[in-house]
Amino acid sequence: MTISLCVRLGEAGVSPHRFAIYLAVDIPDRAHRVEKPAAFRHELQEKPWLTEADIEFYHLSTHTIYLKKGKTVRLGPTGQAFVLFADGERCYTGYFQYLASSYLEKGPTITTMSLTGEMSGSVIEIIKYRMRGVPDARNNVRIKRVLQTIYPA
């Protein structure tokens, strides 16, 4: 049985971009993140943090994003949620994680070297910490289809 991790939430929850990552407005406390790790309930910032227009290439096997020349982004502080959209629909929620933290977020994570998110860069890797029996949300069919269309090999 295949379970799609993308959910259409109506016009308010649909992005106009083929590929986009939005940041959550609030940083949930750790207990909330553990209790509701799939959290499609996050209120999102109005503008996307990253879209297909910012990306030179997305490496599907490593889930590494290479930004266009001259483009850098500020990484979110540890615990801040992000939501990835493909074809305008929410696909998964992930979190920024401080690299040296002893707590591991459940699911896709972008690691940062700074507790405050003061690090920026032009290469971003979305990591999935291994969780037994849980499919890798980054390998969603919709995400792959969109990325292969935008960034053909």
Side-chain angles (χ1 to χ4, degrees):
M1 175 168 71
T2 303
I3 299 172
S4 174
L5 297 174
C6 289
V7 178
R8 182 172 292 280
L9 296 178
E11 293 309 309
V14 176
S15 171
H17 300 280
R18 298 282 325 272
F19 179 88
I21 298 175
Y22 286 79
L23 301 181
V25 172
D26 296 319
I27 301 171
D29 61 30
R30 181 176 166 195
H32 176 79
R33 294 193 314 264
V34 171
E35 182 182 315
K36 299 176 181 171
F40 282 112
R41 304 157 193 58
H42 292 292
E43 181 183 346
L44 302 177
Q45 294 179 4
E46 187 176 326
K47 293 183 180 181
W49 177 67
L50 201 62
T51 72
E52 69 274 4
D54 303 314
I55 300 170
E56 183 68 36
F57 184 71
Y58 187 112
H59 195 280
L60 278 168
S61 64
T62 62
H63 299 282
T64 303
I65 300 170
Y66 297 89
L67 300 179
K68 290 186 175 176
K69 186 176 181 179
K71 174 72 177 174
T72 59
V73 293
R74 183 176 181 275
L75 301 180
T78 194
Q80 181 171 20
F82 64 87
V83 178
L84 187 137
F85 285 75
D87 265 347
E89 297 182 29
R90 290 179 185 231
C91 292
Y92 66 77
T93 297
Y95 297 94
F96 288 94
Q97 167 95 30
Y98 178 56
L99 186 61
S101 176
S102 61
Y103 173 74
L104 299 178
E105 296 288 354
K106 298 201 182 313
T109 305
I110 296 173
T111 55
T112 167
M113 298 288 284
S114 168
L115 284 170
T116 61
E118 293 298 327
M119 180 181 158
S120 64
S122 58
V123 179
I124 300 161
E125 186 177 7
I126 303 174
I127 300 166
K128 180 209 180 248
Y129 285 105
R130 299 197 183 336
M131 296 184 306
R132 262 187 185 198
V134 177
D136 187 347
R138 303 170 308 157
N139 291 329
N140 179 280
V141 175
R142 181 178 288 114
I143 297 168
K144 284 185 171 188
R145 184 176 56 242
V146 167
L147 292 172
Q148 287 170 338
T149 301
I150 298 172
Y151 313 105

